[in-house]
Amino acid sequence: MKKTSTRLADGRELIYYDQRDDSVRDAVDKRPLDRTVTTSEVRRDPLLGDSIAVASHRQGRTYHPPADECPLCPSQGDRLSEIPDSSYDVVVFENRFPSLAGDSGRCEVVCFTSDHNASFADLTEEQARLVLDAWTDRTSELSHLPSVEQVFCFENRGAEIGVTLGHPHGQIYAYPFTTPRTALMLRSVAAHKEATGGGNLFDAVLERELADERVVLEGEHWVAFVPYAAHWPYEVHLYPKRRVPDLLGLDEDARTEFPKVYLELLRRFDRIFGEGEPSTPYIAAWHQAPFGALEEFEGVNRDDFGLHLELFTIRRTSGKLKFLAGSESGMNVFINDISPEAAAQRLREVASS
């Protein structure tokens, strides 16, 4: 992998990740852009104890542009985009309309391919590996920023999810705090560790799932399963079999196998509702250990956390979505319309021939 860092016309950082070491990236952003001005602010809820970001400047962000005006495609002739070069493998750049900025963290966009009409599932294993390497590199770099406590790599796909740009891409949020969902996991890890005299909850979960009927697919170094208490109709968790706290901890064997397993999982998601159905909308979310202090989680350190990816769709059946209504939105108590065992069986049935 070759990494080339440059600057866009408004001063934002852009990084090319190339498969070829002889790639030259010297294109200049010729757009007449003013410096980006953001108003991101983090506020803490005194009752719930969590934090929210106020980012009113995002109201003016790009919204469903036509394909020939996509800001994530390479620049071509007089059509100038966020990527100055006329081609690329993988690109990461600072979001022009970030939810988090400055002392409140950082937001980046990850373009998986220059092909506007592709999806992550269309990538080759070599391309998917390059994305994994980019996620890992950004996790490392962002973790060293003084304002950052947790790095979150994720992909939103589909208009139903709320995606405003159709180009295959994901995002990275670098939070200035430990997120509420991660804090819940860490509290459970701490309680399990104390109750078992040092046992690890992630190891226990993985051991249980490997022995049950909800495994969707399994490799030598990775396993994907529908969790026992799945929140969403179709939800899969992807774990490395050797527990590590973050993407940086994966060894070469796990990195090599990941593209094959993950691409197969995404392709199964596209087939679960049958031929002729539109691509399945989903969220793919990497859960990594925070880089900040963990004193509030007594007895827990970073190595107790288990890196994993959670993949789920908001579609519950053909043509129908799972809405977060009163119980889910008002009380955070999910009601699942499909048993996890049935969902796992369906995802096994749609395996590649």
Side-chain angles (χ1 to χ4, degrees), residues 214-274:
R214 290 176 300 276
V215 171
V216 174
L217 62 92
E218 182 178 357
E220 184 179 353
H221 304 284
W222 295 87
V223 60
F225 57 87
V226 177
Y228 172 76
H231 290 58
W232 299 91
Y234 289 95
E235 174 183 341
V236 176
H237 293 190
L238 179 62
Y239 276 53
K241 291 185 177 179
R242 183 180 68 87
R243 173 169 46 87
V244 295
D246 51 41
L247 290 166
L248 301 170
L250 294 174
D251 61 24
E252 183 59 29
D253 289 338
R255 293 180 184 280
T256 299
E257 186 182 72
F258 169 78
K260 181 178 181 179
V261 174
Y262 187 49
L263 291 172
E264 170 62 17
L265 190 57
L266 292 180
R267 290 161 187 166
R268 292 190 191 190
F269 255 62
D270 274 343
R271 291 192 291 267
I272 53 179
F273 299 110

Side-chain angles (χ1 to χ4, degrees), residues 60-263:
R61 66 188 184 273
T62 308
Y63 186 81
H64 292 300
D68 60 357
E69 297 178 16
C70 174
L72 306 185
C73 287
S75 293
Q76 298 287 343
D78 294 332
R79 191 184 67 78
L80 305 179
S81 73
E82 289 280 67
I83 296 91
D85 214 323
S86 59
S87 67
Y88 64 84
D89 290 342
V90 173
V91 165
V92 177
F93 61 88
E94 289 184 76
N95 198 322
R96 190 177 179 187
F97 303 97
S99 300
L100 306 164
D103 293 338
S104 298
R106 175 160 159 151
C107 292
E108 299 182 340
V109 176
V110 184
C111 297
F112 303 139
T113 171
S114 60
D115 184 353
H116 180 84
N117 297 312
S119 69
F120 201 115
D122 296 322
L123 301 182
T124 65
E125 291 185 18
E126 291 76 16
Q127 289 174 307
R129 169 61 191 264
L130 185 60
V131 175
L132 174 63
D133 289 342
W135 283 331
T136 305
D137 180 71
R138 296 315 301 152
T139 295
S140 175
E141 292 293 327
L142 292 170
S143 71
H144 291 99
L145 296 180
S147 64
V148 171
E149 285 196 16
Q150 187 170 1
V151 179
F152 176 45
C153 306
F154 65 101
E155 180 192 1
N156 298 329
R157 189 182 76 165
E160 299 92 335
I161 296 294
V163 174
T164 58
L165 297 175
H167 196 102
H169 72 287
Q171 299 181 67
I172 301 175
Y173 277 20
Y175 297 102
F177 50 80
T178 296
T179 63
R181 189 173 177 87
T182 304
L184 286 173
M185 293 184 197
L186 289 169
R187 292 189 189 103
S188 296
V189 168
H192 180 87
K193 191 173 185 178
E194 181 178 7
T196 59
N200 184 271
L201 180 57
F202 285 100
D203 292 349
V205 166
L206 186 56
E207 181 179 3
R208 174 183 181 177
E209 296 294 352
L210 281 169
D212 219 312
E213 58 184 309
R214 290 176 300 276
V215 171
V216 174
L217 62 92
E218 182 178 357
E220 184 179 353
H221 304 284
W222 295 87
V223 60
F225 57 87
V226 177
Y228 172 76
H231 290 58
W232 299 91
Y234 289 95
E235 174 183 341
V236 176
H237 293 190
L238 179 62
Y239 276 53
K241 291 185 177 179
R242 183 180 68 87
R243 173 169 46 87
V244 295
D246 51 41
L247 290 166
L248 301 170
L250 294 174
D251 61 24
E252 183 59 29
D253 289 338
R255 293 180 184 280
T256 299
E257 186 182 72
F258 169 78
K260 181 178 181 179
V261 174
Y262 187 49
L263 291 172

